[in-house]
Amino acid sequence: MDLIEMDHLWMVHVAIQCIQTTLVNGTGENQTSEDDQQCLYFVGNSLGAQPRAVREYVNAQFETWASIGVKGHDTKISNSPLTPWQDLAEDCAKKSADLVGSSPHEIVIMNTLTINLHLLMASFYKPDAKRFKIILEWRPFPSDYYAIESQIAWHGLDPATCMIKIEPDNPKGSLISTELILKTIDENAHDTALLLLPGIQYYSGQLFDIPKITAHAKANGIIVGWDLAHAAGNVELKLHDWNVDFACWCTYKYINAGPGAIAGAFIHERYGTVDLTGDKASYRPRLTGWYGGDKSVRFNMDNKFIPTPGAAGYQTSNPSAIDLASLSGALSVFGKTCMKELRDKALVLTAYAEYLLDEIINQAQDDGRGPLFSIISPRDPLQRGTQLSVLLREGLLESASQVLEESGVLCDKRKPGVIRVAPVPLYTRFEDVWRFMRIFRKALGLEMAA
């Protein structure tokens, strides 16, 4: 038995011990009856639950606007949890540092995910006669695919020859091994300009080996970007130490900032330098806008763009103070813990969910029903986040999803046959996982467990 398997078994043991107690996880309070429970929320990988702090922070922003109007840009109200609006994006960047493993100077809060992908590809994807390809995975989230495809076409190139799509090792599977990714890099290194992969693949829930893949690509002269939509706030990241060139993430999934919330981006510090020694400011080319300009000269109105040093210099437009207030409230919750502690709990919580799913698989086999589903997420806990993707037998997706919804369970489905189950450590309890599995048995037409 190897160390990973031993760790896996240990986590299951700990989880079982936790669920057998009579206390609600992490509170020390007596559990309430099942009839008193609200719905089970296992869809934080699509939209995180609303933190109470978000309502407080957004209301504070409304109060600032109502009471002092435009002065809210540069005035701090004494009893408000918010900084002045001009400093809100910077404040959210500071609060995001632990989530992505970087200095606040390397983080910019702006726009939404796909817009940020376009803005950063405009700066980092510079195809020429020698290097023009982009390496991606075979099944990225459609928006990522569209962004990459359109960037290539924007440069007058053919996406059919410039997009190198890595397919799973097993043609019938969903997982892509690190070895295959490294091999693809080696085979295409001579003419590849950019590698752009998801930190966690949205369909399978696979966590890629970001540091190893990044190091290998950069050793071959390739710019490396990551879409961390399903990784930020979910797993530990160390973007600066891993030498990632750029990354983007949304904040409405595991970070819980609300539907369509303002997004974040990481730009390594080496790309944020501004040299003012010459007649004209020297900096990495990018698409520019007023809010990327240094605050010390932003209001000179002289049309001489001098970017803010660091990632903030990649901003374009004035960000919504309401959006920033919502994100600031959500991030304040993360300030009460750290990603290491959340990841520790997530590993055990997800292992417990996996253990119960395996029990259901075995029950169906014993009942002569055959395999009703399989878990397509990696079995190695270190190669996944909190999400377990359950591939149902053909024909079961719609009926099972309907029973789950009618029973007060929220989790999402991804065609052709996957239900994604995401026990998020910030607000999911072990009891919630146990109750979910009882209802899932019912959704599959199995007898409810005692």
Side-chain angles (χ1 to χ4, degrees), residues 229-247:
H230 286 267
N234 182 2
V235 296
E236 286 187 276
L237 301 167
K238 300 183 185 298
L239 298 184
H240 176 86
D241 292 346
W242 293 342
N243 206 25
V244 169
D245 291 311
F246 72 88

Side-chain angles (χ1 to χ4, degrees), residues 84-387:
W85 299 335
Q86 281 276 346
D87 303 323
L88 258 177
E90 182 180 355
D91 183 61
C92 288
K94 292 176 182 176
K95 292 177 179 178
S96 301
D98 179 59
L99 273 64
V100 297
S102 76
S103 71
H105 191 67
E106 297 172 300
I107 298 172
V108 56
I109 304 300
M110 61 181 186
N111 309 310
T112 50
L113 175 59
T114 306
I115 296 299
N116 287 343
L117 281 173
H118 274 298
L119 286 174
L120 294 187
M121 278 193 282
S123 181
F124 286 93
Y125 176 54
K126 298 292 186 181
D128 56 30
K130 181 180 179 182
R131 290 181 178 267
F132 50 88
K133 292 179 180 178
I134 298 179
I135 297 176
L136 62 154
E137 48 123 349
W138 100 117
R139 192 174 185 170
F141 196 79
S143 189
D144 290 38
Y145 188 97
Y146 303 152
I148 294 170
E149 183 180 46
S150 63
Q151 283 281 332
I152 291 171
W154 183 260
H155 286 281
L157 301 173
D158 183 2
T161 58
C162 292
M163 296 173 74
I164 306 302
K165 291 169 275 191
I166 310 173
E167 299 193 5
D169 299 63
N170 181 347
K172 295 183 178 180
S174 301
L175 304 183
I176 302 173
S177 68
T178 300
E179 291 70 27
L180 180 57
I181 295 173
L182 301 184
K183 179 183 177 184
T184 304
I185 292 171
D186 289 337
E187 291 173 347
N188 295 276
H190 63 287
D191 54 4
T192 293
L194 172 67
L195 178 140
L196 183 54
L197 293 174
I200 291 181
Q201 210 280 340
Y202 84 97
Y203 186 77
S204 68
Q206 178 183 1
L207 168 62
F208 290 114
D209 191 337
I210 298 175
K212 189 170 186 178
I213 294 167
T214 298
H216 194 76
K218 291 187 68 60
N220 282 277
I222 299 171
I223 291 287
V224 178
W226 292 92
D227 177 347
L228 303 176
H230 286 267
N234 182 2
V235 296
E236 286 187 276
L237 301 167
K238 300 183 185 298
L239 298 184
H240 176 86
D241 292 346
W242 293 342
N243 206 25
V244 169
D245 291 311
F246 72 88
C248 304
W249 59 93
C250 55
T251 64
Y252 51 80
K253 300 181 189 295
Y254 294 98
I255 301 176
N256 314 307
I262 194 167
F266 163 89
I267 297 101
H268 198 280
E269 64 180 6
R270 62 180 167 273
Y271 301 116
T273 57
V274 180
D275 184 358
L276 300 176
T277 57
D279 294 335
K280 185 178 180 181
S282 176
Y283 50 89
R284 182 176 182 84
R286 76 223 31 198
L287 296 178
T288 57
W290 190 47
Y291 252 68
D294 195 312
K295 281 193 293 185
S296 64
V297 296
R298 185 178 296 164
F299 288 90
N300 288 351
M301 304 298 179
D302 59 8
N303 293 331
K304 295 179 181 178
F305 181 75
I306 300 176
T308 303
Y314 287 75
Q315 293 180 91
T316 53
S317 299
N318 185 352
S320 162
I322 296 175
D323 284 352
L324 288 171
S326 181
L327 175 58
S328 184
L331 290 171
S332 73
V333 179
F334 285 87
K336 301 177 187 297
T337 180
C338 67
M339 282 309 304
K340 183 182 185 306
E341 292 178 351
L342 289 172
R343 178 62 167 159
D344 287 346
K345 180 185 173 184
L347 286 168
V348 182
L349 196 65
T350 309
Y352 179 59
E354 179 186 42
Y355 172 81
L356 295 181
L357 285 169
D358 283 339
E359 280 198 333
I360 297 174
I361 292 173
N362 294 334
Q363 179 186 345
Q365 293 278 22
D366 293 342
D367 291 349
R369 299 278 303 276
L372 296 179
F373 64 87
S374 61
I375 301 172
I376 64 172
S377 299
R379 288 292 187 157
D380 176 0
L382 301 181
Q383 295 183 35
R384 66 189 185 208
T386 68
Q387 173 182 312

